[in-house]
């Protein structure tokens, strides 16, 4: 994932791996948190392991006919800014608002001074943003996150959900992590999710969901959202397993697929239920094969959308 902080030393040490639960075991442990899926279906603001900047020449995939980029409207934020959202249809979840935060930005690498600027995340100061990581072959995390986010947006719109993006490849860099949180707050989102891929070492594989810990410092106060964010995390884990068949990360929290952190500005500063999803590890060959496969990315988008809609229907 990569969004700007050094992981705790314990995360950088060699780990003793334990057996990873099977998909069925995880679903059973979570009570399946709604196992249906849509048909057809690093060190940073979230990950572990050092950043690997996106390779020069990598570009954001162009919008396809069903990637959710059509039918956009603009909604004014409280501060007068304009944030792009998609007009919702008349589905069963009409009136619900979801903010999707595609991690990083494909052109962050061209604005290293700007993204290195320190911002306040309540209990610390962190970089505005980072470049994100990439696969060994150079497929950039920022390209991956945008593609999956757009696919998820299409699925959510079919349910009537209004979707707001923090960025859609339309900003020169960023936005900064504090701004990403504020977009969700300003939209009064019913749920928010930040999509990433990790940059840990080879052999570390699988996905995990990060939920906010208790933070009450400076401008951060997560006390009202920790409970619903945990519920959201459970829904995402259950549906992501069911949709993708992927196992929870074998290097985070004993293979449970869940982690809690208090060092991520995107979570600390959120006033709406929010989680981060690390869809897999770009540095591991097995995970990279999935992350670079459009068919798998569609499954990932289905897992994300189904997890969000399950949470919204609760």
């Amino acid at each position: 994932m990569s969004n700007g902080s050094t992981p705790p030393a314990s995360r950088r040490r060699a780990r003793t791996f334990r057996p990873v639960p099977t998909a069925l075991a995880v679903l059973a442990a979570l009570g399946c948190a709604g196992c249906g899926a849509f048909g057809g279906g690093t060190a940073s603001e979230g990950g572990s392991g050092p950043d690997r900047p996106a390779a020069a020449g990598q570009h954001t995939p162009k919008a396809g006919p069903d990637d959710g980029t059509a039918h956009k409207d603009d909604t004014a934020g409280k501060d007068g800014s304009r944030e792009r959202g998609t007009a919702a249809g008349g589905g069963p979840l009409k009136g619900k608002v979801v903010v999707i935060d595609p991690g990083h930005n494909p052109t962050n690498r061209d604005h290293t001074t700007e993204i290195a600027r320190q911002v306040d995340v309540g209990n610390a100061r962190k970089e505005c943003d980072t470049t994100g990581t990439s696969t060994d072959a150079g497929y950039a995390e920022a390209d991956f996150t945008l593609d999956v986010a757009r696919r998820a947006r299409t699925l959510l719109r079919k349910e009537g959900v209004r979707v707001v993006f923090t960025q859609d490849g339309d900003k020169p860099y960023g936005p900064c992590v504090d701004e990403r949180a504020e977009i969700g707050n300003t939209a009064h989102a019913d749920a928010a999710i930040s999509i990433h891929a990790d940059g840990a070492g080879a052999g570390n594989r699988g996905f995990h969901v990060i939920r906010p810990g208790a933070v009450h410092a400076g401008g951060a106060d997560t006390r009202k959202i920790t409970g619903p964010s945990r519920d959201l995390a459970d829904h995402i884990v259950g549906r992501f397993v069911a949709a993708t068949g992927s196992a929870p990360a074998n290097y985070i929290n004993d293979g449970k697929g869940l982690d809690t952190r208090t060092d991520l500005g995107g979570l600390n500063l959120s006033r709406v239920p929010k989680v981060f999803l690390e869809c897999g590890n770009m540095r591991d060959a097995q995970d990279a094969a999935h992350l670079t496969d459009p068919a798998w990315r569609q499954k990932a988008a289905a897992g994300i959308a189904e997890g969000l809609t399950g949470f919204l229907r609760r």
Side-chain angles (χ1 to χ4, degrees), residues 3-5 115-119 125-130 176-177:
N3 254 14
S5 77
I115 67 172
R117 176 171 63 87
Q118 297 283 303
V119 298
R125 294 187 67 81
K126 293 183 63 174
E127 291 90 344
C128 159
D129 202 2
T130 65
C176 296
V177 297

Side-chain angles (χ1 to χ4, degrees), residues 25-293:
V26 172
L27 292 175
L30 291 173
C32 206
C35 302
F38 283 95
T42 317
S44 78
E45 279 287 296
S48 63
D51 289 357
R52 174 170 295 181
Q58 291 292 318
H59 299 289
T60 303
K62 292 183 178 180
D66 191 34
D67 65 1
T69 56
H71 309 296
K72 295 174 181 173
D73 61 6
D74 290 326
T75 57
K78 293 179 179 178
D79 61 356
S81 64
R82 310 292 293 185
E83 292 304 333
R84 183 175 292 169
T86 57
L93 291 174
K94 184 176 181 179
K96 297 293 186 180
V97 179
V98 165
V99 168
I100 297 181
D101 176 27
H104 313 290
N105 184 312
T107 54
N108 271 358
R109 64 177 180 270
D110 301 324
H111 298 273
T112 54
T113 299
E114 292 89 343
I115 67 172
R117 176 171 63 87
Q118 297 283 303
V119 298
D120 190 350
V121 300
N123 58 1
R125 294 187 67 81
K126 293 183 63 174
E127 291 90 344
C128 159
D129 202 2
T130 65
T131 60
T133 189
S134 70
T135 65
D136 289 340
Y139 180 54
E141 180 187 1
D143 289 345
F144 168 82
T145 64
L146 267 176
D147 183 64
V148 172
R150 288 167 175 168
R151 293 170 185 269
R153 176 169 58 189
T154 297
L155 297 171
L156 288 167
R157 289 195 69 255
K158 292 177 180 177
E159 297 294 306
V161 178
R162 179 172 170 272
V163 182
V164 176
F165 269 29
T166 59
Q167 60 93 10
D168 197 4
D170 53 355
K171 299 179 186 292
Y173 65 90
C176 296
V177 297
D178 55 339
E179 296 172 303
R180 291 174 188 257
E182 186 55 31
I183 289 169
N185 299 338
T186 300
H188 302 289
D190 296 287
I193 186 167
S194 188
I195 299 174
H196 288 267
D198 214 347
N204 298 319
R205 64 180 60 100
F207 77 93
H208 65 282
V209 179
I210 305 169
R211 52 199 182 185
V215 177
H216 184 211
D221 188 352
T222 63
R223 290 176 293 182
K224 291 183 179 180
I225 69 163
T226 52
S229 295
R230 288 189 177 93
D231 189 15
L232 174 59
D234 287 345
H235 277 81
I236 296 294
V237 169
R239 309 292 178 88
F240 201 81
V241 167
T244 66
S246 296
N250 61 5
Y251 60 104
I252 298 289
N253 196 19
D254 295 331
K256 297 176 182 177
L258 294 165
D259 195 15
T260 301
R261 290 177 63 173
T262 59
D263 63 322
L264 304 180
L267 296 180
N268 289 0
L269 299 174
S270 180
R271 297 192 297 273
V272 302
K274 185 174 182 179
V275 298
F276 277 50
L277 169 63
E278 298 282 357
C279 296
N281 177 22
M282 300 198 101
R283 308 284 188 81
D284 177 77
Q286 290 186 34
D287 273 9
H290 289 149
L291 299 170
T292 55
D293 177 11

